[in-house]
């Protein structure tokens, strides 16, 4: 729909509200469609969840609401619900013939804004528009406080081509507003007056994560989190909605219902996913299919979730053996925070640098994750944007899928070390890696710095560089750095910590090149996406990773790293990877 | 003619073959969608025939995978409910109860019953639609007294 159309639709809202209906049962679908037509909504139907996801990913702004059946053969309705909520942030209504309260509860915990029983009556459908309004309203309301919204930021930042996908939250608003500006708070939304949206920057998210960890993931309640965070102008609702998204995100990436898993890594990723995060311009809002939240400078996300138990969760997923999660040293968490801050700072660096941002360029998201595909697109969009962060987020997607491998890993260390997933289609792994990396960064930067200066960070072929990483992190992520940085490589998440943000791209690249040759080495301490050579999601911290892509992580060395890391994880800190510079890694870990 | 059609419909309701959901569907029928109910019914029977087949095969195998049977039946029940097929729905519920109780024989019996109801309903509806078409412009749904 064009903006104008959107506007028109808005004017008559709820008439013309665009609904996507998903149900494998043809009879029910047809009936639902007719009912919705009778309510004067604009209806699109599909009987496959995958198709629905594709439609949504293709253009997030195309729909206002999704109604989905619970039992579907190709994908669980709850999973679809989660994905939609995380990626697109659209209200989703569940539909089922199961009236069992536990299903209803499941719907709620997965983020459904309503649960209807079949057979659906038209009266019930007549009111579903309220969910659209409510969600927009909440978004607006939430954003008031907290981070500044940098209106200019994300939207404005070079992302011209990015369609507001990045900003999931906003997208809807954008539609209405036609206003690229971020903050649009009030003016958009036709319905209610929205207040400023809270932008969940990396820093803020870090605080959030810290608070959650402190309270214990299971017990984290918005009010308490809010108190702990102690951020002015942040409301309980903001926190509540962010918490919900975060949980979903974790769940999603961990592939288990246990949301706690992955807490650690999800930070950045999560942030990224949340479009509301405005941390890094250009980065976030990338429509990162995976992961919630925007990637605020990646760092935030990367951070492995502070151990408080969350890490433990990470392990659960996919059997990565992440054990560490269980209770990472408190220090870690703290560290993260600092790092985060740092990172944040870093990220603020000219992400905008024009240099080929390609960070995301061509990041081929090998992720098996279907999202990957999405991400890729996003990434492409991001080209030239400093979306490097976004790239990271992309990594996330990988990450999520992979989760298995990664999650377990580093828990404590920011190192995402993708555990052995070497090459596994790391899609998820990638992300994971990146996340880790990101996390690493802060740690690396701030404290750990023990890491040997990241040698050429893995040039991620996509050149996801993290532009802002000015701080010389030594997080060597980069897995196999392929000099060529061809986009096709899996994105290696390379963090060139060494570079300082101002470095000219060229130089960076050179240095990367140099580093790359051969050693993924030291820097790789982390996971460099080793596994993923495919997915090398390179997070080009470096400021300007050439678009050439740096380092595509080759699994080769990364594998080693990863493996080593894995071991490390197990042993907690016992770095085996020689060449990878585990030393650094371990130090990082400990730092954490 | 129309009256006849109405009577038939009434009887279907009275006998419990159809319930309010069917009426709701009829209400959805309008000029833009003149044969909505018939179309939906056709869809339903097509889908449900397939489901019945699946269940038949599963039962014949004798393995009695109750979970799977239950899930088939859940689907079946869902669509039957959506169309207002009352008796069929009731049989579905019974079948599922037997499944949960692990009562294979009960399942088999109920299933036979279900198939019977299903095909009875199908015939009746077909007959009804046929008449309705003949009777001219479809009548609007009227709640049976």
């Amino acid at each position: 729909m064009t903006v104008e159309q959107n506007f028109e639709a808005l004017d008559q809202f709820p008439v013309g509200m665009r609904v996507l209906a998903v149900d494998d049962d043809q009879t029910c679908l047809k009936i639902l469609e007719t009912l919705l037509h009778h309510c004067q909504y604009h209806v699109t139907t599909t009987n496959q969840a995958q198709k629905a996801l594709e439609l949504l990913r293709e253009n997030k702004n195309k729909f206002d609401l999704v109604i989905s059946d619970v039992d579907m053969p190709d994908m669980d309705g709850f999973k679809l619900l989660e994905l939609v909520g995380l990626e697109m942030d659209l209200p989703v209504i569940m539909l089922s013939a199961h009236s069992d309260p536990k299903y209803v509860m499941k719907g709620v915990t997965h983020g459904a804004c309503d649960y209807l029983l079949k057979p659906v009556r038209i009266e019930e459908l007549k009111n579903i528009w309220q969910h659209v309004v409510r969600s927009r309203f909440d978004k607006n309301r939430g954003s008031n406080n907290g981070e500044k919204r940098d209106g200019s930021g994300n939207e404005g930042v070079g992302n011209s081509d990015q369609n507001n996908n990045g900003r999931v939250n906003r997208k809807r608003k954008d539609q209405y507003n036609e206003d690229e500006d971020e903050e649009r708070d009030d003016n958009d939304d036709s319905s209610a007056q929205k207040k400023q949206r809270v932008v969940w920057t990396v820093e803020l998210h870090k605080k959030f994560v810290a608070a959650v960890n402190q309270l214990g993931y299971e017990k984290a309640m918005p009010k308490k989190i809010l108190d702990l965070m102690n951020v002015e102008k942040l409301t309980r609702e903001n926190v509540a909605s962010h918490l919900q998204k975060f949980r979903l995100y974790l769940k999603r990436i961990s592939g288990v219902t246990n949301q706690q898993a992955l807490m650690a890594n999800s930070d950045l990723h999560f942030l990224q996913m949340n479009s509301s995060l405005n941390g890094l311009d250009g980065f976030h809002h990338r429509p990162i299919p995976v992961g919630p939240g925007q990637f605020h400078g990646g760092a935030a996300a990367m951070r492995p979730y502070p151990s408080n138990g969350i890490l433990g969760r990470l392990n659960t997923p996919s059997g990565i053996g992440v054990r560490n999660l269980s209770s990472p040293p408190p220090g870690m968490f703290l560290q993260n925070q600092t790092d985060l801050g740092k990172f944040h700072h870093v990220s603020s660096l000219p992400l905008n640098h024009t240099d080929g941002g390609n960070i995301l360029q061509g990041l081929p998201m090998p992720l098996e994750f279907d999202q990957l595909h999405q991400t890729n697109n996003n990434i492409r969009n991001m080209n030239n944007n400093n979306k490097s962060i976004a790239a990271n987020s992309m990594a996330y997607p990988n990450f999520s899928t992979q989760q298995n491998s990664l999650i377990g890993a580093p828990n404590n260390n920011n190192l995402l070390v993708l555990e052995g997933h070497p090459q596994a289609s790391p899609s998820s792994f990638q992300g994971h890696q990146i996340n880790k990396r990101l996390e690493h960064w802060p740690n690396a930067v701030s404290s750990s710095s023990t890491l040997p200066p990241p040698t050429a960070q893995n040039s991620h072929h996509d050149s996801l560089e993290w532009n802002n990483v000015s701080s010389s992190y030594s997080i060597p992520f980069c897995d196999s750095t392929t000099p060529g940085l061809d986009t096709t490589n899996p994105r290696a998440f390379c963090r060139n910590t060494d570079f300082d943000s101002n470095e000219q791209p060229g130089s960076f690249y050179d240095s990367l090149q140099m580093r790359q040759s051969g050693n993924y080495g030291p820097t790789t301490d982390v996971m460099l996406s080793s596994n993923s050579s495919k997915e090398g999601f390179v997070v080009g911290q470096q400021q300007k990773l050439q678009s050439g892509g740096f380092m595509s992580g080759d699994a080769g060395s990364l594998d080693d790293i990863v493996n080593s890391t894995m071991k490390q994880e197990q042993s907690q800190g016992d770095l085996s990877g020689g060449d990878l510079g585990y030393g650094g890694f371990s130090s990082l870990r400990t730092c954490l | 003619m129309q009256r006849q059609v109405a009577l038939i419909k009434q009887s279907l309701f009275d006998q419990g073959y159809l319930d309010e959901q069917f009426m709701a569907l009829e209400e959805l029928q309008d000029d833009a969608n003149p044969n909505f109910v018939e179309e939906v019914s056709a869809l339903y029977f097509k889908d449900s025939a397939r489901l019945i087949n699946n269940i038949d095969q599963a039962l014949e195998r004798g393995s009695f995978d109750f979970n799977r049977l239950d899930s088939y039946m859940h689907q079946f029940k869902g669509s039957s409910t959506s169309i207002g097929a009352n008796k069929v729905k009731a049989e579905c519920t019974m079948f599922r109860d037997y499944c949960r109780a692990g009562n294979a024989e009960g399942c088999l019996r109920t299933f036979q019953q279900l198939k019977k109801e299903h095909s009875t309903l199908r015939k009746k509806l077909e007959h009804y639609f046929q008449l309705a078409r003949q009777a001219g412009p479809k009548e609007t749904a009227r709640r049976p007294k």
Side-chain angles (χ1 to χ4, degrees):
Chain A
M1 238 189 191
T2 64
V3 177
E4 292 71 30
Q5 278 174 321
N6 289 343
F7 275 118
E8 277 167 20
L10 272 181
D11 293 342
Q12 306 162 333
F13 190 86
V15 169
M17 184 173 82
R18 296 150 311 159
V19 182
L20 175 64
V22 190
D23 192 336
D24 64 308
D25 184 330
Q26 296 282 9
T27 313
C28 298
L29 190 61
K30 183 155 176 76
I31 295 177
L32 183 60
E33 183 184 17
T34 310
L35 285 171
L36 290 169
H37 272 135
H38 274 254
C39 299
Q40 295 182 290
Y41 301 139
H42 180 273
V43 189
T44 307
T45 59
T46 172
N47 62 349
Q48 284 169 16
Q50 281 300 335
K51 187 87 182 44
L53 271 179
E54 275 169 33
L55 283 172
L56 287 167
R57 286 181 182 149
E58 188 190 319
N59 185 352
K60 293 187 169 102
N61 294 343
K62 233 162 141 202
F63 299 104
D64 298 306
L65 177 74
V66 179
I67 298 186
S68 164
D69 184 33
V70 167
D71 317 285
M72 291 190 285
D74 64 333
M75 183 192 288
D76 181 28
F78 292 117
K79 184 155 166 66
L80 175 66
L81 157 65
E82 245 182 31
L83 290 174
V84 172
L86 287 174
E87 291 180 27
M88 291 118 206
D89 202 21
L90 283 175
V92 181
I93 294 180
M94 300 310 292
L95 197 57
S96 177
H98 284 294
S99 57
D100 191 345
K102 75 171 173 349
Y103 280 87
V104 180
M105 175 64 89
K106 205 167 171 202
V108 170
T109 57
H110 282 63
C113 54
D114 205 351
Y115 189 104
L116 301 178
L117 293 182
K118 288 184 183 172
V120 181
R121 292 170 305 137
I122 196 165
E123 295 81 11
E124 289 171 335
L125 292 178
K126 284 211 166 111
N127 275 339
I128 58 177
W129 61 267
Q130 63 176 289
H131 300 295
V132 177
V133 170
R134 183 176 299 117
S135 118
R136 286 197 221 125
F137 183 76
D138 284 345
K139 283 199 196 108
N140 271 345
R141 205 147 46 91
S143 37
N144 293 333
N145 22 346
E147 320 289 297
K148 68 151 192 171
R149 310 236 300 216
D150 93 278
S152 55
N154 320 332
E155 285 289 27
V157 177
N159 300 328
S160 43
D161 47 335
Q162 58 186 175
N163 35 45
N164 306 322
N165 290 345
R167 251 183 308 194
V168 176
N169 295 340
R170 242 183 325 217
K171 64 174 165 301
R172 248 173 298 148
K173 288 214 218 124
D174 287 339
Q175 290 175 2
Y176 297 98
N177 295 312
E178 240 178 345
D179 190 332
E180 289 286 293
D181 215 317
E182 242 156 79
E183 310 336 321
R184 2 262 119 200
D185 13 319
D186 2 296
N187 44 29
D188 357 301
D189 280 287
S190 44
S191 18
Q193 183 41 40
K194 304 320 171 101
K195 313 202 204 142
Q196 272 254 264
R197 234 168 20 132
V198 169
V199 174
W200 282 90
T201 61
V202 167
E203 216 164 310
L204 193 60
H205 183 68
K206 270 189 131 159
K207 282 196 183 144
F208 169 79
V209 167
V212 172
N213 278 324
Q214 205 171 320
L215 292 167
Y217 178 82
E218 301 285 15
K219 300 216 213 62
M221 300 300 284
K223 183 79 179 75
K224 295 194 186 140
I225 296 175
L226 182 65
D227 291 343
L228 277 177
M229 281 175 75
N230 194 20
V231 170
E232 231 178 68
K233 295 204 227 140
L234 190 66
T235 70
R236 199 201 71 81
E237 289 82 15
N238 300 143
V239 174
S241 89
H242 192 69
L243 179 64
Q244 180 186 56
K245 289 197 187 128
F246 188 69
R247 285 203 167 117
L248 287 180
Y249 166 72
L250 288 183
K251 213 184 335 180
R252 210 156 79 63
I253 54 183
S254 69
V256 294
T257 43
N258 186 356
Q259 296 171 349
Q260 302 153 356
L262 305 188
M263 290 269 275
N265 301 312
S266 46
D267 282 356
L268 203 46
H269 190 178
F270 175 75
L271 286 178
Q272 207 150 15
M273 302 279 292
N274 279 326
S275 51
S276 52
L277 294 178
N278 71 352
L280 307 172
D281 286 355
F283 289 141
H284 56 245
H285 292 319
R286 266 283 66 185
I288 306 231
V290 183
Q294 305 164 350
F295 186 84
H296 276 293
M302 299 293 282
R303 254 162 234 275
Y305 223 70
S307 41
N308 314 328
I310 297 193
L311 287 181
R313 305 248 193 79
L314 286 183
N315 296 324
T316 38
S318 48
I320 292 201
V322 172
R323 323 276 170 101
N324 306 331
L325 293 181
S326 41
S327 35
M332 186 179 336
F333 184 74
L334 290 181
Q335 190 149 40
N336 293 336
Q337 284 201 321
T338 14
D339 289 333
L340 187 56
K342 235 195 207 183
F343 186 83
H344 183 61
H345 168 73
V346 172
S347 47
S348 50
L349 285 186
L351 282 182
N352 311 296
H353 68 213
T354 50
D355 127 301
N358 302 352
I359 309 224
L360 298 181
Q361 262 181 10
L363 274 180
M365 293 294 264
L367 302 171
E368 286 159 343
F369 220 60
D370 42 5
Q371 294 166 351
L372 282 181
H373 175 68
Q374 194 67 15
T375 334
N376 283 331
N377 292 333
N378 297 332
I379 297 191
R380 295 216 186 80
N381 292 336
M382 297 208 346
N383 265 347
N384 304 318
N385 285 331
N386 299 316
K387 315 235 199 114
S388 49
I389 306 264
N392 292 327
S393 44
M394 288 213 336
Y396 287 129
N398 298 328
F399 177 61
S400 37
T401 49
Q402 293 266 330
Q403 5 165 250
N404 319 340
S405 43
L406 296 180
I407 312 221
N411 333 3
N412 303 312
N413 317 315
N414 292 321
L415 292 179
L416 281 185
V417 189
L418 311 180
E419 50 183 36
H421 214 35
Q423 334 273 352
S425 11
S427 17
S428 44
F429 186 76
Q430 292 295 340
H432 187 75
Q433 280 189 341
I434 300 199
N435 291 335
K436 294 283 181 84
R437 292 210 225 154
L438 288 177
E439 296 191 276
H440 248 323
W441 276 6
N443 294 324
V445 178
S446 51
S447 51
S448 8
S449 52
T450 49
L451 289 178
T455 51
Q457 309 317 25
N458 317 317
S459 39
H460 181 64
H461 46 280
D462 288 329
S463 62
L464 277 185
E465 28 186 40
W466 206 307
N467 297 324
N468 301 320
V469 182
S470 49
S471 47
S472 37
Y473 286 45
S474 22
I475 304 194
F477 276 91
C478 309
D479 4 343
S480 55
T481 50
T482 46
L485 278 191
D486 62 86
T487 51
T488 52
N489 290 344
R491 301 171 229 278
F493 188 66
C494 317
R495 284 226 241 163
N496 295 308
T497 49
D498 294 344
F499 296 100
D500 73 275
S501 48
N502 303 319
E503 216 165 83
Q504 290 308 314
S507 54
F508 179 78
Y509 186 83
D510 290 342
S511 44
L512 282 177
Q513 297 267 8
M514 293 200 287
R515 301 229 208 175
Q516 297 191 333
S517 42
N519 46 346
Y520 296 106
T523 53
T524 42
D525 49 85
V526 196
M527 40 246 224
L528 302 191
S529 50
S530 52
N531 306 329
S532 40
S533 35
K534 300 97 123 157
E535 316 256 330
F537 197 87
V538 175
V539 174
Q541 299 186 344
Q542 302 309 344
Q543 308 84 29
K544 302 144 163 230
L545 269 187
Q546 313 286 337
S547 36
F550 283 70
M551 5 220 212
S552 26
D554 283 344
S557 50
L558 289 175
D559 286 348
D560 292 346
I561 299 178
V562 171
N563 292 333
S564 337
T565 323
M566 288 294 295
K567 297 204 207 119
Q568 281 192 343
E569 313 244 310
Q570 326 235 326
S571 54
Q572 288 282 329
D574 170 41
L575 297 176
S576 45
D579 52 304
L580 285 185
Y582 272 108
F585 184 86
S586 48
S587 48
L588 268 185
R589 289 229 217 163
T590 48
C591 296
L592 300 180
Chain B
M1 183 67 163
Q2 299 225 349
R3 208 160 149 255
Q4 195 183 358
V5 173
L7 279 175
I8 291 185
K9 181 154 68 148
Q10 181 68 41
S11 83
L12 284 175
F13 281 110
D14 290 341
Q15 290 169 39
Y17 285 102
L18 298 174
D19 61 19
E20 300 82 28
Q21 178 62 17
F22 191 83
M23 278 192 271
L25 291 183
E26 289 204 309
E27 273 165 21
L28 287 179
Q29 193 162 282
D30 57 15
D31 292 337
N33 239 335
N35 295 317
F36 175 65
V37 189
E38 191 174 350
E39 284 167 11
V40 172
S41 301
L43 256 184
Y44 166 71
F45 284 113
K46 186 159 70 112
D47 249 2
S48 52
R50 187 179 47 86
L51 269 176
I52 286 182
N53 247 348
N54 286 345
I55 301 180
D56 253 335
Q57 285 174 9
L59 287 174
E60 270 167 33
R61 276 202 290 271
S63 52
F64 281 103
D65 178 354
F66 286 118
N67 277 336
R68 186 196 250 174
L69 288 174
D70 188 59
S71 109
Y72 278 140
M73 199 44 74
H74 171 75
Q75 250 188 295
F76 198 100
K77 182 171 173 211
S79 37
S80 305
T81 317
S82 299
I83 199 182
N86 207 26
K87 289 198 176 186
V88 177
K89 181 174 66 159
E91 297 294 334
C92 288
T93 309
M94 254 206 299
F95 185 96
R96 294 186 77 202
D97 288 342
Y98 282 124
C99 272
R100 290 203 212 107
N103 184 340
E105 203 211 298
C107 284
L108 281 172
R109 254 188 302 122
T110 312
F111 189 58
Q112 297 310 318
Q113 186 68 14
L114 189 154
K115 280 197 284 188
K116 216 158 55 123
E117 293 292 348
H118 182 257
S119 91
T120 309
L121 179 67
R122 182 191 214 141
K123 289 204 207 77
K124 288 191 186 273
L125 275 180
E126 277 172 4
H127 177 56
Y128 166 73
F129 285 127
Q130 204 177 16
L131 278 183
R133 261 182 274 129
Q134 286 170 16
K138 49 153 177 42
E139 14 184 306
T140 50
R142 254 176 284 132
R143 303 227 156 225
K145 324 277 183 317

